[in-house]
Amino acid sequence: MIGNDIIDVSYTRRNSDWERKGFLDKVFTLTEQNDIARSIDPFTTVWRLWSMKESVYKLQLRSKTKRSFCPSVISCKLLDDTKGIVFFNRVEYGTTTRLYNDYIFSFATHNDYAGVNHGIIKYDTKLPEDYYTFIKSELALNLDCKRNEIDIIKNEMGIPEIYRGNIKQDASLSITHHGRFLVWSLAK
């Protein structure tokens, strides 16, 4: 299983007020708040931690029957500039985060997969409504088939699943978007 998240940095700088009263208390544990306070770049630390929590939530959602996101009960530990550990529902997940000037991207996997592939697409304007068409083209390359052989169908929880010829594939797909960025992650 895989979960991912992306933060469009410029969009978030324009539209987020993470320093407002109560936000950090509502979203982050005391340890995470201390990490943010000690950070040389609190903005990036806030959104890295958020991205880690989101990626694990999306991964864990695959094994649940209802949605429930309460970020303060998901705790993160930063190991280095890219690796982290997230604890959620008494389970430990490894995360990887990539920090760039334009975006912050995190993904989490529950098991070691032989292959995890990602596609990150930046749009000059808003995301097109037919973005699944583009993702299907990218997935076809990774699955060694033609785009018209693949369908992406959301299950009852809203989780995208890959089908080939009406047969659900044994691969985990996570899709996320924020601002100008679209990301897909495939674990097979």
Side-chain angles (χ1 to χ4, degrees):
M1 292 189 294
I2 193 163
N4 65 5
D5 191 55
I6 194 161
I7 305 293
D8 181 330
V9 171
S10 65
Y11 180 88
T12 302
R13 285 192 191 281
R14 287 190 317 272
N15 296 294
S16 162
D17 184 14
W18 65 271
E19 295 175 289
R20 73 181 178 274
K21 183 178 179 181
F23 178 78
L24 295 179
D25 292 331
K26 182 178 177 181
V27 175
F28 299 105
T29 66
L30 287 176
T31 301
E32 293 164 347
Q33 291 178 52
N34 288 333
D35 289 344
I36 293 164
R38 288 191 308 265
S39 171
I40 60 170
D41 185 356
F43 172 89
T44 298
T45 303
V46 162
W47 296 108
R48 176 185 176 188
L49 291 168
W50 175 268
S51 179
M52 291 167 61
K53 289 175 185 252
E54 273 283 331
S55 65
V56 166
Y57 168 72
K58 290 173 184 173
L59 183 154
Q60 233 239 0
L61 185 60
R62 294 173 180 280
S63 61
K64 293 193 166 242
T65 56
K66 69 176 192 169
R67 291 180 177 266
S68 175
F69 184 57
C70 184
S72 62
V73 301
I74 303 171
S75 63
C76 301
K77 181 177 180 181
L78 303 175
L79 300 177
D80 60 29
D81 290 343
T82 60
K83 297 294 183 188
I85 298 173
V86 177
F87 303 92
F88 185 37
N89 289 342
R90 294 184 296 264
V91 179
E92 181 179 306
Y93 300 91
T95 63
T96 301
T97 302
R98 298 178 185 148
L99 305 173
Y100 297 95
N101 290 335
D102 284 359
Y103 61 89
I104 299 168
F105 168 64
S106 294
F107 71 94
T109 58
H110 186 62
N111 298 316
D112 289 330
Y113 282 89
V116 176
N117 296 307
H118 311 281
I120 300 175
I121 303 103
K122 178 181 176 183
Y123 289 93
D124 292 331
T125 59
K126 70 177 191 164
L127 197 66
E129 290 183 23
D130 66 341
Y131 64 85
Y132 268 30
T133 302
F134 181 79
I135 293 172
K136 284 170 58 172
S137 296
E138 294 283 309
L139 291 175
L141 294 172
N142 280 273
L143 297 172
D144 195 31
C145 64
K146 295 177 183 169
R147 182 181 75 194
N148 63 355
E149 296 175 8
I150 297 174
D151 282 314
I152 300 171
I153 301 171
K154 289 186 177 183
N155 68 16
E156 62 279 353
M157 292 293 293
I159 298 167
E161 297 176 333
I162 304 170
Y163 286 80
R164 270 178 86 177
N166 296 325
I167 299 171
K168 185 177 175 290
Q169 299 300 292
D170 187 26
S172 180
L173 175 65
S174 186
I175 299 171
T176 188
H177 54 85
H178 185 245
R180 301 161 296 150
F181 293 93
L182 168 67
V183 178
W184 59 265
S185 296
L186 176 69
K188 51 183 181 171

